[in-house]
Every structure is written in structure tokens, then in C-alpha cells.
Amino acid sequence: MRSRAWFAPLGAFLVWLLMLGGCVGRPEGEPVTLVFKYARILGSADPLPGLLRAFETAHPGVRVKGEALPWTSDDQHQLYVINLEGRSPGFDVLMLDCIWVPEFARAGWLADLTTHLTPDELAPHFASAVTAGMYNGRVWALPWNMNVGLLYYRTDLLARYGLRPPETYEELIAAVKQIRDGERDPALEGYLWQGKQYEGLVVNVLEAFWANGTRLLGEDGTILPEPARAADALRFLRGLIEARLSPAWTTAADEELSRRAFGDGHAIFLRNWPYAMDLFQAAGSAVRGKVAFASLPGRARGAAGAGSTGGAHLAVSRRSRHPELAVALARHLTSRPAQRAIALGAALSPTRRDLYHDPELVQARPDMPRLDGLMLAGRPRPVTPAYLLVSSTVQPEFSAALVGVKSPERAIADARGRLNYFLEGIR
Amino acid sequence: MKRGARTVADALVLAALVSYAIPFFWQLLTSFKPEAELLRVPPLLPNQLTLAHYRAVVEKSLMPQALANSFGIATLTTLLALALGIPGAYAVARLPLPGKRFLLLAIVASTAFPQIATVSPLYLLMRALDLRDTWSGLVLVHTSFALPLTIWLLAGFIREIPIEAEEAASVDGAGLPGLFRWVVIPLLAPGLAATALLTFLFSWNEFLFAYTFTVSEASRTIPVALALFPGVFEVPWGDIAAASMLASLPPVLIVVGLQRFLVRGLVAGAVKE
Amino acid sequence: MTRREAVNRRRGILLMAPTVLALGTLTVYPGVWVVWLSLQHRHPIFGVSRFAGLDNYTFLAVDSRFSSAAVTTFVFTVTSVALEVVLGVTAALAIHAQQGGRRVALSLLLLAWAMPAVVTAKLFEWLYHPTAGLLNVALGGHALNWLGDPRLALPAVVLADVWRTMPFVAVLCYARLLAIPAELYEAAQVDGAGRLATLVRITLPMLGRILLVAILFRTLDALRAFDLMFVLTGGGPAGTTETITVYAYRALFQTLQLGFGSALGVVVFALVMAVAWAYLRLLRTSTVTA
């Protein structure tokens, strides 16, 4: 009776919109596209595009698409978790923080790489990096780059007062006091580290635990086996802030904030990762030639200091549509030439030990041989699928203690209680 | 109040409101400031203006795709919400329904549903239906959230329609579709516009579900793209400012351009109170 | 029932059916499912899925992070809504009194409300920047660490939220003011009432009901608030801007604790429903009539 002329076009428009929306899915076909998710590389030049193009040349008909991850480790983890659990395709090769590998392997999101590797293929890498990429005796991720916590210090300031790099925190504190008294510069901070509520905080607190002779998880999996020592370590960190040996903004500081302040010449000591050295030595840096690094100090009553190890691994998604190619890409990016290019072009340290004595690398980065020894002496964070659960549970407690809203004892007690409940839930 | 004093007062009110909008204007200015001058304040005003940030956002970032996604999803949500909401509102406003009081209560209660409460089951549902990273999934979820408010608003507007108009149409022999086509929808036009506008805005601005249900550029919406804006060394404030301006352009244009409808719709609702 | 009534009844069901279906599957069903989830230990990563009874809730009862999040939610809601209402009414009155330029005034005001909360978050993140932020520049030598200081972070977030949502309250009140018949004011003038008396005796009471509606909406929104604090501070320095919703989201999607996170979601759900119910009883006198 009435014309329904507008129904049909409207319906067609809606269908068109829906199809545009990709509910039909992405079409398969030439060329094969591999998606490589990674965090942007810090450093003077980004060697990644060159490496990806080299892979494309070696595999005609294959395109590699590099996609950036969010900036912080916790945001990256959240993105991965939401999407890998959500069974999204579209990830082929993943850059993972080494602490996630057991978790992702346990969840069944990664492809088992063991059968794709030759027997001694992983021998050239640091043993701890190889272990970090394994779970239940199988290899789930290939070591890509390596990190260790270091103590940076101003060589010019220490030399001026005849001091050597501190081996204990007590020495460090004494050095800070002496230098600040001498320099009389109100803008000069003492010891910078990362106290913001994120994964970096857990790293810093763990290093304090180890310096105090205790740990987060015991051998048998006990949570905080020596709570008194752990509380003492927390109190020590809080004390640094209260005594203004570390600035008040330490509780908001991440790697970049602390690195920037030290790089502007406003601090004597800094705890950070190896990448920072490259930036300190860059042209135009205020501290060029005045910075060196040493191993992290211990506490005077005997425990040697240890830096936390870290780094990134490359894994292959179990839902990848092109598993063979993806594994090939991962092996290509962790090969010796690739790691060498990355070490030269960016500020990332390789996991292959022989590269630390490679002539060209040593010339560009004279600290490489020393770094080799420091990497060996580093300690990993607890290697367990539950690490992220543990870390996200203790972060607010540690932060509360650092900010001063909770006593260290209370923070440790609350951390234990909460961890007990959550770990019980996954048993 | 005397004429002159009133004009001064008017000017003061306008000045106060301009100050209120300063955060917006500051971001606008930032988006045109050269990179080198961003962190060097004071002076507040830049030496020169640049389009570099906009170029970076349009050429190198995911914002254009995100804009397309947001636009498509918001449009589809609005259409679907209206398609379901108009009949539903009519039923609520005019027709006897079994269990109507309970239904109304459920609808009103749904407007208060917190997204966080339903996000975990919806996550599992979307995973099972393989609707993650698609427009359809997000459109369905957005519609379900916009629907209660849509129905509530439209029901109010429908009650304004004189019953005689509907009776005349049924005397003319119009069936239900005819009734809608010739009576209800035309007379509903301003209320419809206001409701459509609000629904579009809600879908465009929605973050929690979009963050959870989108993965890649295939479906990532503007708020998610902005929240995940990549930075390398330091936060690229200029680029983020440019991206923010682009993200706000459609909603701001809509709200400011159609504010008359908005206010009129609210006035009608207020009068009815 | 007459034939007419039967026809209407059938029509009603027909017209309502799609809505009921949509809401049923996407809102009601998940609403029930989340309660069921909250009674379990559910960890996809570890392959755990078992009934836990009320364990998650009893844990929440003694969880210090939860009580801190609850306090934060409460403080955020109360201060945010109070400020919005006061500023919103003031703005509405000011614009209503204007002779000219009302459209410009409304447009300026609506700028803040139109954009996504994420944009507002980025906007304020830049405003609060320690060295280059407009606020600290204005404060000159007394720059504050807005987003890093545990005492300042929540006020900073409240400020951003009030800026963003006050226009909603203002426009609602303004629309109501437009609907007040002019005769009332004329009668008051004839009676010799001054401006203040007019304001207190006529304007504010007429605004009363719409204010209750505005407060209801804003309270419910503030209780559920997520976007702003998630993007601006991520829960803030030492969890000082972590509302229950942010805590729930982290539990759900940072560590995939689907059971525990759902319990937190149910708590927010119950809280919002309780507040809504209380307000609706207040408004019972003349709600939308069926």
C-alpha cells in the first residue's frame, strides 16, 4: 500500500557497513603476512626494519608487519592477556618480557619450539636467559635481549672526593652525604631508583630483599619466608626517601624519569638497566664521559648485592596461521647477525655471550666485556607461571610502604595474606 | 537590570565560560606547537605554528583507522538502538503489556548497570562467539547498553504525540508499519534527533568495552587508540594533542551544532516533569 | 478483553520482543552469570575452574586494598557530585540570566562534556605536567607534583571529572529554568520580591526535582567511574586513585582472575543498585508514568 522504497537501500547500507566492519574476517591470500608485535626500540637507530626486510628478501611472498606494543610492561601484559585468552588470531611472533614466558606457556598460548631447534642451538646464550624461556623442560621462547640491574655513578664526583664505587649501601649513603656536603648544590640528588607502582618497583624491592639476604618466594614456594628481613629491606628503602637521600618523587619515578634526571647531571647514583649508558654517552649529553656502572651494592652485614636480570624473548603464538614461517622469523631475529645489529644500532644487550667480546661491538660500547660478567652475576625474578599474579598483588603493598601509608611490617603481612589467598585459588 | 549593566554581566559570563574551556583551548594550541617549544614554558605562546603533529598522526599513527572504526560502530549502534528502541518505546508508552511494571523497572534498572559487572561474562561470551575484534561484537554490546536509556527517552517523547493523530491514522486503515511511518516517526523527529545524538555520543566515547573487546586496527575505536598511543622515549605530547583534537572533532561538532535539539529535548522532558 | 485490546496486546508483545531479547542476552544474562562467576575460582591461565562459595567475598571483607578502593570511590563520588551540582546550578543561572550570547555560552560549556573521557584524561595529563603543564606554570615557583603525590592525585582526578561533567548538570538545570513559566516571575515582581528572594523562593524549588534527577545520574556515573582514572593515573600513586571499578578491571584483565574480579564487579553492581533504589524511592512521587 505504502512504498517501502527506503527499506531496501537502508538494509543494503547496513549490510555494507557490517561487512566493512570486518565481521566477515580478513581474506587470506598472497602475500602471506606475519605480524610481529614488539615494543619500540630505544636507541640511536632502529635496526628492526632492516632485519624484517632482510627476512622478507630471504622468503619471497612473505610480508612482515611490525606492530608496536604499549609503552609499559604492565600495559603490554594486559594487552597480551586479553587478546591471547580471547583467542585472537593475528599475532604470529611475540616479544615477551622474560617474566611472562612460564605464564603464557602454562596458559597454552605459545607454540612449543623444542622440536624446531637443533640440539645445541641455544648453547651460545646466557644460561639464565635460556632457562627463562623454558617451562616444564620444553622451550617456549628464544632469548632476544638481556638486562641486568646496575649501579650507575658519577665518576667525576666520586673522584673529586677520592671515593671508589660503593660495595655496600652503607658506603653509598656515606658517599652521598660526603659529596652533597662538599658540593653544596641543592639540586643534586643522592640515589635515584624506581619507586612508582609498577613492575619496576618490584624489581627494585627484590634487589633490596636480596641485598638483605632474603627473597620473595622460598625454595619450596613459601611466600616471603623471612618476613622480618623483608620488612627491614622495605624500611631501608623508605628510609632513603625520608632522609632525602632519594628525592620525594622517587615514588613516581620509572626508568625514564630517573634516567633523565641523572642524565641531566642532577644525581650522584642511579639504579637502572644497561640501555641508559648509551644515552649518557650520546653526543650532547650533560654527563658524557662522566658515568660508569658497577654491580649493585649489598648490605654491610654480609649479603652481596645482585642486580635483577631481565630482558625480552621471542615466542610464537600457538594460533599463528603460519607457524613454520613464524618460527623462522623468530630464529632470524635472535640469530647472531641480528643480535649484533641490534646491539650496535640500539641500546639493547644481546643474549649471545660471544658478542660481548666482539671487536666491533667492544669498540662502540667499551663496557661490553664487563657487562658480560655482571650479567652472569645477576639474579632472576621468581620463574613461575604465577609471577605476574604475585607481582601485581605485592605492588600496592610495597608502594604503600614506600609512600608511608603503611608500616613495612604491615605491608609485608598484608602481602603475605593476599598472596596466600590468591595462590591458594590457583592450586 | 539596566541595559548597560546587563551587557557587562553578559560579557563577564562569557569570559568566565571561555576560561572554563581553557583546558580545551590549551590542548588545541599544543597540537600546533612545534616539538622543540613544547616543554619550554613559559612563554605560553609559540613562535610559530606547525602542522607537523597532525601530519604525524594522520600519516604514521592508527588514528585514521580508529576514526573510521568509531564512526562506523557509533552509526550502527545508533541505528540498531533506534530500530529496537522506537517500537519498544511505543509499546511502553501506549500499549498494554503483560508484566509492564516489572518490565519498566527492569529497563530503568538497566540504565544503572555498571559495565564492570558485565564485562567478564561478556568477555567469555564474545570469545565463544568469536566476535572479538569485530564491529558486530562492539555494536551489540553498545546497543544493549544504550537501549534502556533510548527507550526511556523515546517513551517520554512518544507520550507527547496527541493520541488523535494516531487514531486518525488507524481510521485511515494504517497498520502498525504505516502508523510508525506516517505518524509516530515524523512527530517524534526532534526527540528522535536528541536521542540519536546521545546514543551516537555514548558509543563514540565508550571506553571500557572497547578496550576489552578490540585487538587491532580492525576494530580499535578512538578512545582506545588514544589510550594506547605509542611513545618511545618520552610522551609525544604534541602528537597526542593533535590526536585528541581529531578524536573530539565529531562529538564536539555534533553537540555544539545540534545543541538546540539537545536543549529542546531536555526542555520537553523537563516540562513533562 | 475487547478485540481492540487483544490487538493492542499482541502488538505490544511484538514490538517489545526484540528489545527484550537484546537486553535479555546481553545485559540480564551476563548480570546473572557474573554472580555465578563470583562464586568460583576461575583462572584460565592455570586451567582452574571450581566452586568457591563465598570465599571471594569473605576475602574482600578483610582485604585492605578493597577497603582503600571503597573509600576512594566514596570520596570521589561525594566530592565530585557536590562540586558538579554547585557549579552546574551557578552556570545554569548565569546563562539563563543572559540576554544575548546564550548559544555561544552553551557551546563553550558543552565543549567539556562532548569529548570522550579518554581525551579529557590526556588533556589533564598534559595540564598537570610537572614542568610544562599549564597549572604548574601558573603556579610559578610552587609547582606541584599533581599526579605523583599521593595526597594530590585524587583531587586532581576529581577536578578533571568535575570539569567534564558539570556541563551536563548545567544544561539539565538550564532546560528546567527555560520551562518555568514567565508568569511566576512577573507575579513575584508585582509582589515586590527582590532578586535574591525570587531565587530562593521560586527558582531553586523549581529546580529541586531536576536536581535530584541530576544527582541520581551523576552519583551512579561517579560510582561506576573508570575511564578517567584508568587512563590518567592507572589507579594512582600507591593506589590513591584506585576505585573499586579500576581494582576490578585489573583483577580481571591484568591477571585473569575471573572469579575474584567478578566478585568485585558484583560489589559495584550491588552498590549502584542500592543507591539507585534509594534515589528512586525519593523520586517516587512523580516518576515516568506507565
Side-chain angles (χ1 to χ4, degrees):
Chain A
M1 190 197 289
R2 320 274 179 208
S3 72
R4 298 201 219 276
W6 52 277
F7 272 147
L10 181 64
F13 175 65
L14 281 177
V15 172
W16 173 74
L17 266 184
L18 275 172
M19 297 200 75
L20 199 64
C23 75
V24 179
R26 262 182 280 217
E28 279 256 31
E30 311 295 340
V32 166
T33 307
L34 289 179
V35 173
F36 170 44
K37 290 205 87 79
Y38 68 103
R40 292 276 191 82
I41 307 270
L42 298 161
S44 40
D46 188 355
L48 247 314
L51 291 170
L52 296 180
R53 298 294 89 74
F55 183 81
E56 284 174 350
T57 318
H59 294 83
V62 176
R63 227 188 99 232
V64 182
K65 198 165 152 219
E67 283 181 8
L69 288 169
W71 177 230
T72 69
S73 174
D74 290 322
D75 284 342
Q76 293 166 4
H77 182 262
Q78 193 164 272
L79 186 108
Y80 273 140
V81 158
I82 291 179
N83 293 304
L84 289 172
E85 181 55 31
R87 302 202 191 126
S88 302
F91 291 1
D92 294 296
V93 179
L94 316 163
M95 184 199 98
L96 302 180
D97 193 328
C98 61
I99 50 179
W100 306 333
V101 179
E103 180 188 12
F104 286 23
R106 177 76 177 80
W109 299 333
L110 304 178
D112 187 341
L113 301 176
T114 326
T115 50
H116 289 102
L117 303 172
T118 61
D120 285 321
E121 188 166 337
L122 295 180
H125 300 270
F126 282 105
S128 62
V130 177
T131 317
M134 293 179 66
Y135 178 67
N136 269 355
R138 318 285 299 174
V139 177
W140 301 93
L142 302 177
W144 197 34
N145 56 63
M146 183 99 169
N147 268 329
V148 69
L150 301 169
L151 180 73
Y152 286 87
Y153 60 92
R154 288 278 299 277
T155 48
D156 56 330
L157 289 175
L158 260 62
R160 195 176 302 165
Y161 295 85
L163 298 166
R164 59 186 175 92
E167 284 176 14
T168 66
Y169 278 105
E170 285 73 12
E171 279 179 34
L172 186 146
I173 293 175
V176 167
K177 289 187 179 151
Q178 187 179 354
I179 295 176
R180 275 164 73 168
D181 281 341
E183 293 293 305
R184 295 183 181 286
D185 178 359
L188 186 67
E189 304 287 356
Y191 177 39
L192 301 181
W193 43 281
Q194 295 83 45
K196 183 178 171 188
Q197 186 177 330
Y198 75 127
E199 175 60 29
L201 168 63
V202 180
V203 167
N204 276 256
V205 172
L206 280 183
E207 285 167 350
F209 280 4
W210 298 333
N212 212 28
T214 181
R215 49 207 296 183
L216 183 58
L217 294 179
E219 299 280 330
D220 49 353
T222 341
I223 302 160
L224 289 164
E226 290 134 340
R229 284 204 176 192
D232 189 48
L234 268 182
R235 179 170 301 109
F236 170 74
L237 287 176
R238 169 73 188 147
L240 288 175
I241 300 176
E242 277 175 347
R244 290 293 276 105
L245 294 159
S246 301
W249 52 259
T250 305
T251 54
D254 60 359
E255 283 90 352
E256 277 299 285
L257 202 64
S258 48
R259 193 267 306 167
R260 203 91 44 77
F262 185 85
D264 288 341
H266 295 318
I268 309 170
F269 294 103
L270 165 73
R271 182 254 165 239
N272 214 317
W273 306 103
Y275 84 95
M277 195 55 169
D278 227 50
L279 297 161
F280 295 149
Q281 298 293 61
S285 159
V287 294
R288 188 177 151 95
K290 300 191 230 172
V291 173
F293 57 70
S295 139
L296 282 172
R299 295 286 287 277
R301 46 177 172 283
S308 167
T309 54
H313 282 57
L314 292 183
V316 171
S317 163
R318 211 170 82 180
R319 306 190 127 241
S320 167
R321 292 197 198 99
H322 314 283
E324 297 291 336
L325 279 171
V327 175
L329 179 59
R331 288 169 87 187
H332 167 76
L333 289 169
T334 55
S335 65
R336 194 175 187 281
Q339 288 207 1
R340 195 158 171 280
I342 292 172
L344 273 173
L348 296 176
S349 305
T351 54
R352 289 171 179 274
R353 295 201 53 198
D354 57 337
L355 284 173
Y356 285 83
H357 304 279
D358 177 287
E360 200 183 333
L361 272 181
V362 172
Q363 192 175 40
R365 295 166 66 177
D367 292 304
M368 288 290 270
R370 257 199 335 131
L371 205 48
D372 183 23
L374 289 167
M375 295 279 191
L376 272 181
R379 264 175 89 157
R381 283 161 278 178
V383 181
T384 156
Y387 179 73
L388 242 295
L389 184 58
V390 170
S391 172
S392 62
T393 308
V394 300
Q395 273 178 36
E397 307 300 333
F398 292 166
S399 185
L402 283 187
V403 165
V405 303
K406 269 193 196 180
S407 77
E409 282 74 20
R410 177 88 194 289
I412 296 290
D414 283 349
R416 284 181 98 198
R418 303 182 71 230
L419 275 176
N420 271 323
Y421 180 70
F422 289 144
L423 291 179
E424 185 57 44
I426 59 171
R427 234 175 273 290
Chain B
M1 216 191 224
K2 288 215 296 277
R3 203 72 198 285
R6 182 67 252 175
T7 321
V8 171
D10 278 6
L12 280 177
V13 168
L14 276 177
L17 286 173
V18 168
S19 327
Y20 193 79
I22 278 184
F24 180 81
F25 293 127
W26 179 241
Q27 191 77 323
L28 188 63
L29 182 64
T30 304
S31 68
F32 290 113
K33 252 194 192 184
E35 185 72 37
E37 299 188 34
L38 275 178
L39 292 173
R40 256 189 271 138
V41 263
L44 293 175
L45 294 175
N47 286 332
Q48 42 172 302
L49 298 176
T50 170
L51 283 177
H53 299 302
Y54 284 96
R55 221 175 295 134
V57 167
V58 168
E59 288 168 14
K60 288 188 250 160
S61 80
L62 297 174
M63 293 305 267
Q65 179 67 35
L67 274 168
N69 289 336
S70 272
F71 191 77
I73 290 174
T75 306
L76 284 175
T77 302
T78 306
L79 290 173
L80 191 56
L82 288 180
L84 293 176
I86 295 176
Y90 185 78
V92 163
R94 288 276 194 244
L95 301 174
L97 287 172
K100 188 179 238 189
R101 287 203 67 181
F102 174 72
L103 201 63
L104 277 176
L105 193 62
I107 289 178
V108 170
S110 308
T111 54
F113 258 55
Q115 293 170 310
I116 190 71
T118 48
V119 70
S120 42
L122 282 174
Y123 175 74
L124 294 173
L125 191 65
M126 290 290 143
R127 186 181 70 169
L129 293 176
D130 216 8
L131 281 177
R132 293 197 65 249
D133 207 22
T134 63
W135 283 16
S136 329
L138 208 50
V139 167
L140 284 174
V141 172
H142 278 183
T143 306
S144 75
F145 250 81
L147 205 47
L149 191 64
T150 308
I151 290 184
W152 192 29
L153 285 173
L154 285 176
F157 290 126
I158 285 180
R159 273 189 213 104
E160 307 286 302
I161 298 176
I163 195 88
E164 298 79 29
E166 294 180 42
E167 285 169 2
S170 51
V171 160
D172 273 351
L176 210 46
L179 181 65
F180 275 97
R181 176 123 190 267
W182 297 110
V183 178
V184 176
I185 292 182
L187 288 179
L188 203 47
L192 209 57
T195 309
L197 153 67
L198 284 175
T199 309
F200 188 93
L201 258 186
F202 158 74
S203 177
W204 184 279
N205 293 351
E206 201 279 325
F207 178 68
L208 197 152
F209 286 138
Y211 190 76
T212 315
F213 296 140
T214 62
V215 186
S216 63
E217 312 88 74
S219 66
R220 191 174 289 168
T221 58
I222 278 281
V224 180
L226 200 52
L228 291 175
F229 207 84
V232 185
F233 272 128
E234 35 202 14
V235 186
W237 295 111
D239 291 353
I240 287 183
S244 306
M245 287 299 115
L246 287 177
S248 318
L249 201 61
V252 164
L253 279 178
I254 290 175
V255 168
V256 167
L258 295 177
Q259 58 158 288
R260 201 186 316 148
F261 280 122
L262 187 66
V263 175
R264 204 195 300 177
L266 287 172
V267 170
V271 165
K272 183 181 41 66
E273 296 277 350
Chain C
M1 200 185 297
T2 68
R3 207 177 78 97
R4 188 66 196 273
E5 283 172 7
V7 163
N8 276 344
R9 198 184 152 89
R10 220 179 328 150
R11 279 182 172 183
I13 295 176
L14 184 70
L15 290 176
M16 206 56 197
T19 301
V20 170
L21 187 68
L23 286 182
T25 42
L26 293 167
T27 309
V28 175
Y29 175 49
V32 174
W33 192 356
V34 75
V35 177
W36 171 236
L37 272 177
S38 74
L39 299 175
Q40 300 176 33
H41 283 305
R42 186 93 179 243
H43 287 267
I45 292 179
F46 300 96
V48 166
S49 177
R50 64 171 194 270
F51 187 69
L54 292 173
D55 283 358
N56 286 327
Y57 293 104
T58 48
F59 172 73
L60 280 178
V62 297
D63 182 16
S64 60
R65 188 171 174 188
F66 173 70
S67 36
S68 148
V71 168
T72 305
T73 309
F74 178 73
V75 170
F76 173 78
T77 304
V78 168
T79 44
S80 197
V81 174
L83 282 172
E84 281 158 28
V85 167
V86 168
L87 289 174
V89 170
T90 314
L93 288 171
I95 297 179
H96 183 67
Q98 273 190 305
Q99 298 288 50
R102 277 190 190 182
R103 290 211 40 204
V104 176
L106 276 177
S107 304
L108 282 171
L109 201 58
L110 285 173
L111 271 180
W113 179 70
M115 48 185 140
V118 177
V119 170
T120 310
K122 288 298 182 189
L123 216 116
F124 273 85
E125 199 184 352
W126 179 229
L127 274 177
Y128 289 142
H129 192 272
T131 46
L134 199 56
L135 268 179
N136 278 339
V137 168
L139 289 172
H142 307 282
L144 295 172
N145 185 10
W146 292 98
L147 297 178
D149 188 332
R151 293 160 305 180
L152 290 177
L154 191 56
V157 171
V158 168
L159 186 66
D161 188 64
V162 169
W163 182 83
R164 193 177 100 78
T165 50
M166 180 276 258
F168 173 73
V169 178
V171 170
L172 219 55
C173 293
Y174 173 71
R176 185 75 184 92
L177 286 172
L178 282 182
I180 297 179
E183 300 88 59
L184 275 177
Y185 287 117
E186 287 162 15
Q189 249 183 331
V190 162
D191 280 350
R195 278 202 332 269
L196 189 60
T198 320
L199 184 70
V200 173
R201 293 281 178 78
I202 299 183
T203 319
L204 287 181
M206 297 246 84
L207 278 181
R209 266 195 52 76
I210 201 74
L211 270 184
L212 269 180
V213 173
I215 292 179
L216 167 65
F217 275 124
R218 286 306 317 145
T219 307
L220 295 182
D221 279 345
L223 284 173
R224 307 180 272 184
F226 175 74
D227 308 5
L228 193 62
M229 48 278 285
F230 188 73
V231 177
L232 188 56
T233 58
T240 45
T241 59
E242 187 177 67
T243 56
I244 307 180
T245 306
V246 174
Y247 184 16
Y249 196 86
R250 291 234 177 273
L252 283 172
F253 295 112
Q254 179 65 280
T255 46
L256 278 188
Q257 296 169 271
L258 293 181
F260 177 66
S262 296
L264 281 165
V266 169
V267 169
V268 176
F269 193 1
L271 194 61
V272 166
M273 285 298 146
V275 170
W277 181 79
Y279 269 120
L280 283 178
R281 292 208 67 180
L282 262 173
L283 288 172
R284 177 72 70 85
T285 40
S286 54
T287 17
V288 174
T289 49

